[in-house]
Amino acid sequence: MRILHISDTHLGARPRGIVERERDIYDVFREVVDIAINSKADLVLHAGDMFHDAELYPAPYIVAIEALSRLRSAGIAFYAVAGNHDAVKPTRNSPLELLHRLGYIVLLSDSSEPGVRRASDSSGFEVEIHGYSYKAVDKLLSGSLKPSQRSILLAHVRLCDAWSQRYGRDQRLCSSGDGVPVISKLPRGYLYYALGDLHRSWRSIYSGSPIAYPGSPEAITRDDYEDVKRVFLVEIERGSIDVKEIPLKSVRPWIYVDAKDYREALQKIYEVEARARYMNKPPMVIVKVRSRIERNERERLAGFLEQLAKERKILAYDGPEVEESPPQSDRFESSSANPIGVEDAVERIFRDPEVRSFIIDTFIRDKLDGETLLKKLLESQGVVQKLFEEPEVRKLLQNRLR
């Protein structure tokens, strides 16, 4: 049996409001479908956040239905669970429910209840798929479904220790309480653990079986970018399982300029144009400078980047960002009495990389006026929703309501 494991496709997302970035997400979804067909997969497992929101205009549905129709014509089944972006809400249905009712996908779980389905390949080899949406995480960790001999777990869950390893965060955050999902709390005995929610890929072995996050096939935020975006092709034969990484080719490239000073930054930005010529799409560019620069120097760097964007040699850019120690008024004490910066504090408190980027970019770096901030919040409802799902925010709100 051949299974293509994907997750976090976020159809309908438009990162930074750039229409080309929305098209990037559609491009890579079509490529994923090509991979499933060309590799002769028996089924596709989608581990959540197929759509970016439950209230979308027609384009993402059209793209999804066109792609899923090709899978159905090829005889490839598509199994999915809901993530926090596309799960059913009190006031609206999940877009996954629509595709399920139309027969394009098999929706295993988009509520607090898990779901089970059996799937087989052309030879009759059969597996049992246990699906958990992000709303069913508590039941997943309590082991509500017991794996049979040939069972696969499909779940949208953020395992804190996997997240901290992949994003370079302090793993001590993962021991803050019984409610924090960690790898060791997963039920044992599955053939394969197909997970979603991390936007960077991660693989390991748990209880003798492969456990994996493929990551988002296209970067939704700058924190999501990897040199190679990938999906996993899982091949199961009687008594053995093999996981192959398949790199994606249609992903928007990114260039990170990390310079020690203004002179080096200027030189590296000059080199961006030459590097971009050999890329499949105009890249996104991030510029960081690790020492203080003058205002006119910053304006010159930004002006050159702006010119590259106008000439369509790059798509967009962030920066130049200056990574210097913040003034004492912008610092506060950690538990060890060592001062940490505001951005470091945000990274320690908030687990979700999209939430961290949103807070840092919107509230700390941009220093927006009220009207602009309100507009930004309305445009970023998905991130705002994730903000309120952060453990520390939920704890604070619960304390306020007591």
Side-chain angles (χ1 to χ4, degrees):
M1 176 177 283
R2 290 185 173 183
I3 300 171
L4 191 68
H5 173 200
I6 64 175
S7 72
D8 298 279
T9 48
H10 286 271
L11 297 176
R14 183 175 289 184
R16 296 182 49 177
I18 302 173
V19 68
E20 289 90 344
R21 296 289 292 121
E22 181 179 348
R23 292 172 185 154
D24 291 340
I25 290 168
Y26 300 148
D27 288 346
V28 80
F29 187 72
R30 295 185 185 103
E31 183 186 355
V32 167
V33 170
D34 290 339
I35 291 171
I37 294 171
N38 294 335
S39 63
K40 295 181 170 56
D42 296 292
L43 55 127
V44 175
L45 297 182
H46 195 299
D49 283 350
M50 180 174 174
F51 291 91
H52 193 60
D53 199 354
E55 293 182 347
L56 296 169
Y57 41 90
Y61 296 104
I62 293 170
V63 171
I65 289 173
E66 287 177 346
L68 293 170
S69 295
R70 294 174 54 216
L71 287 178
R72 188 162 65 177
S73 297
I76 301 172
F78 191 102
Y79 294 83
V81 295
N84 50 300
H85 279 262
D86 52 16
V88 62
K89 303 292 192 300
T91 58
R92 59 187 185 268
N93 293 348
S94 164
L96 298 175
E97 181 184 343
L98 170 64
L99 297 181
H100 176 78
R101 291 191 181 191
L102 293 174
Y104 290 105
I105 71 172
V106 178
L107 178 58
L108 294 174
S109 172
D110 82 339
S111 65
S112 59
E113 295 300 320
V116 180
R117 284 292 184 98
R118 290 184 176 179
S120 60
D121 63 14
S122 57
S123 71
F125 181 83
E126 188 176 75
V127 295
E128 192 171 84
I129 306 169
H130 293 188
Y132 290 82
S133 77
Y134 96 102
K135 289 186 173 183
V137 168
D138 288 343
K139 292 189 176 179
L140 168 63
L141 300 180
S142 67
S144 63
L145 293 176
K146 303 301 180 185
S148 59
Q149 187 176 5
R150 295 177 182 170
S151 296
I152 292 173
L153 176 66
L154 177 63
H156 192 84
V157 55
R158 176 161 303 181
L159 298 173
C160 185
D161 36 2
W163 164 79
S164 63
Q165 289 171 27
R166 192 61 189 90
Y167 285 85
R169 308 302 177 193
D170 190 343
Q171 275 198 267
R172 288 175 295 180
L173 293 169
C174 302
S175 58
S176 60
D178 293 336
V180 178
V182 292
I183 299 167
S184 61
K185 292 183 180 179
L186 293 177
R188 299 173 184 269
Y190 284 102
L191 275 176
Y192 180 71
Y193 294 77
L195 307 181
D197 199 19
L198 298 192
H199 285 194
R200 291 184 185 177
S201 63
W202 176 89
R203 285 176 63 187
S204 188
I205 298 293
Y206 175 62
S207 189
S209 298
I211 178 172
Y213 288 96
S216 60
E218 176 62 63
I220 309 302
T221 72
R222 54 193 280 182
D223 279 354
D224 304 338
Y225 179 73
E226 302 173 87
D227 289 337
V228 177
K229 285 288 188 181
R230 55 182 65 80
V231 291
F232 294 139
L233 184 64
V234 183
E235 296 184 341
I236 302 175
E237 296 184 6
R238 301 179 194 278
S240 67
I241 182 167
D242 182 47
V243 182
K244 297 180 179 178
E245 295 186 1
I246 301 181
L248 298 168
K249 299 177 181 178
S250 59
V251 176
R252 174 79 60 178
W254 291 58
I255 294 177
Y256 280 80
V257 173
D258 192 345
K260 63 182 179 182
D261 54 26
Y262 166 74
R263 186 181 297 275
E264 185 178 24
L266 187 61
Q267 179 60 39
K268 288 187 174 182
I269 290 174
Y270 281 137
E271 294 169 358
V272 164
E273 182 176 359
R275 292 174 62 187
R277 289 194 201 120
Y278 301 97
M279 294 179 170
N280 62 325
K281 295 178 178 179
M284 301 288 291
V285 178
I286 308 294
V287 178
K288 290 185 177 181
V289 185
R290 298 192 177 275
S291 62
R292 180 181 176 83
I293 59 175
E294 300 299 327
R295 180 176 178 179
N296 64 319
E297 294 173 334
R298 183 192 294 269
E299 290 175 350
R300 186 178 180 192
L301 295 176
F304 190 65
L305 291 165
E306 187 64 33
Q307 186 61 35
L308 291 176
K310 286 180 179 178
E311 294 172 358
R312 307 295 294 170
K313 293 172 180 175
I314 66 173
L315 181 63
Y317 64 92
D318 278 351
E321 300 167 0
V322 179
E323 288 200 346
E324 57 179 340
S325 299
Q328 192 64 30
S329 59
D330 284 341
R331 301 166 77 97
F332 57 93
E333 298 298 315
S334 69
S335 58
S336 61
N338 293 321
I340 62 173
V342 174
E343 294 186 19
D344 288 335
V346 170
E347 293 197 350
R348 291 190 187 189
I349 293 172
F350 298 101
R351 293 161 53 188
D352 192 299
E354 189 176 4
V355 169
R356 292 199 310 274
S357 294
F358 177 75
I359 292 173
I360 290 171
D361 292 342
T362 303
F363 294 96
I364 298 174
R365 292 179 181 162
D366 291 350
K367 298 179 181 178
L368 303 177
D369 60 77
E371 184 176 347
T372 307
L373 176 59
L374 178 59
K375 182 179 178 182
K376 182 86 170 179
L377 290 170
L378 292 173
E379 290 174 348
S380 310
Q381 291 183 34
V383 184
V384 174
Q385 177 187 329
K386 292 177 80 171
L387 172 62
F388 284 105
E389 292 167 356
E390 285 282 336
E392 294 299 326
V393 175
R394 289 171 65 182
K395 188 187 302 180
L396 177 61
L397 291 175
Q398 289 169 359
N399 291 338
R400 289 286 180 90
L401 292 174
R402 285 174 184 169

